[in-house]
Amino acid sequence: MTSYETWLKKEEEWIGVYCKKIRRRSLCMVVPLTLVLCTAVIGGLAMIGGSGMEDAGYSALGGFLAGFFVCAVYLAVLLPAMNPKRYGRKIDKNVRDLGCSESEKELLAREMLEAKENQKISYTITGPGSKGTPGRFVRTPHFAFLVGSTPYSILVRLSDIAEIRQGQEKKTAARRGGNTRRMYFFTLYTIGFYRRDRLQRGLTERDLPDEAFGFFDAGIRGQVLELLKESGIRIS
């Protein structure tokens, strides 16, 4: 097994802890509660409507079957999404999109596997729709790697970068609950990476960065910037 394959496996194991927790909670809590609730509600409504015990029993069975169908659809979507190998493929695609050669893949993997704790920042994402997803940043001599966010992984080759800029954006999100829709506001704290070849690619200073990290917590963004300062790249 190459260093690159070993690293991808380690990344799958890391996110696998979270995936296992979500699968266990869904199978042991969400599915049983859904079945019980559908059975009880539909059976109860039949009794309230004046149905006899036999008809109420049939209604309860219908509720159970409806709940079973809902759970089957839910699990059909959830279980493939919570497969750690899916996340390994996302990272591999990210590396290929960066245009890494086979030798650079091995360099990347060795640096990630050998990274010390003071080169890493681990945290829990607590922003809109995050559901307690784990996040992690790693800075090595040649790369900056953020995993757990959206998109799932962002890999930056530090030698490509001329400047790093910090910023923040005011965002609006909607949260639905029953028949209500609540709007709320939050701040996204960003780190933008600007490549050296922007002018050759027809980009100006006003264009969006080539890559960007986003954080709901300004403190986490600050810790990441401190690690990036050690790369020697200008930060503004």
Side-chain angles (χ1 to χ4, degrees):
M1 183 179 290
T2 64
S3 296
Y4 183 70
E5 291 169 337
T6 301
W7 172 56
L8 288 182
K9 184 175 178 59
K10 290 288 186 184
E11 290 295 330
E12 290 171 2
E13 291 173 353
W14 177 77
I15 194 62
V17 175
Y18 172 75
C19 292
K20 184 177 180 180
K21 181 178 73 173
I22 296 299
R23 290 196 303 266
R24 184 187 298 118
R25 184 171 65 189
S26 298
L27 292 171
C28 297
M29 293 178 60
V30 176
V31 169
L33 285 173
T34 300
L35 293 174
V36 169
L37 187 61
C38 289
T39 302
V41 168
I42 296 180
L45 288 174
M47 293 189 69
I48 292 172
S51 299
M53 290 297 296
E54 184 176 354
D55 289 339
Y58 285 126
S59 296
L61 177 61
F64 177 84
L65 293 175
F68 182 83
F69 175 76
V70 170
C71 290
V73 173
Y74 169 70
L75 292 176
V77 174
L78 175 75
L79 295 181
M82 288 294 107
N83 184 346
K85 290 189 179 298
R86 175 173 176 263
Y87 294 94
R89 290 192 294 270
K90 287 177 178 284
I91 296 173
D92 181 52
K93 182 179 184 301
N94 191 189
V95 173
R96 287 186 281 110
D97 288 345
L98 190 62
C100 293
S101 64
E102 291 301 316
S103 60
E104 193 175 23
K105 285 182 180 180
E106 288 297 294
L107 172 65
L108 164 66
R110 287 195 300 271
E111 290 188 355
M112 292 295 170
L113 291 170
E114 296 169 2
K116 307 298 183 185
E117 288 306 312
N118 61 3
Q119 295 175 265
K120 305 175 185 177
I121 298 170
S122 297
Y123 58 100
T124 300
I125 302 173
T126 57
S130 62
K131 300 179 182 178
T133 310
R136 188 180 66 210
F137 171 75
V138 184
R139 185 200 60 78
T140 71
H142 297 95
F143 300 94
F145 180 59
L146 184 70
V147 66
S149 58
T150 302
Y152 176 71
S153 72
I154 303 172
L155 179 66
V156 177
R157 183 190 290 114
L158 294 176
S159 62
D160 290 342
I161 305 304
E163 183 181 2
I164 298 172
R165 298 179 191 172
Q166 55 184 311
Q168 61 186 56
E169 303 172 15
K170 298 294 184 181
K171 298 284 188 178
T172 305
R175 177 175 294 170
R176 294 184 180 276
N179 294 324
T180 63
R181 185 168 181 259
R182 179 178 299 176
M183 304 295 295
Y184 61 99
F185 305 91
F186 63 95
T187 301
L188 186 67
Y189 301 93
T190 62
I191 298 175
F193 296 86
Y194 294 78
R195 283 170 43 178
R196 300 177 186 278
D197 61 352
R198 287 176 66 81
L199 290 179
Q200 293 93 311
R201 291 184 290 125
L203 298 175
T204 69
E205 294 294 311
R206 290 175 292 180
D207 289 313
L208 293 173
D210 297 288
E211 292 289 356
F213 296 165
F215 305 91
F216 296 115
D217 187 327
I220 299 296
R221 196 267 304 268
Q223 293 177 48
V224 171
L225 282 171
E226 285 300 315
L227 282 182
L228 288 171
K229 284 179 182 178
E230 299 174 15
S231 67
I233 299 172
R234 181 162 62 95
I235 298 178
S236 59

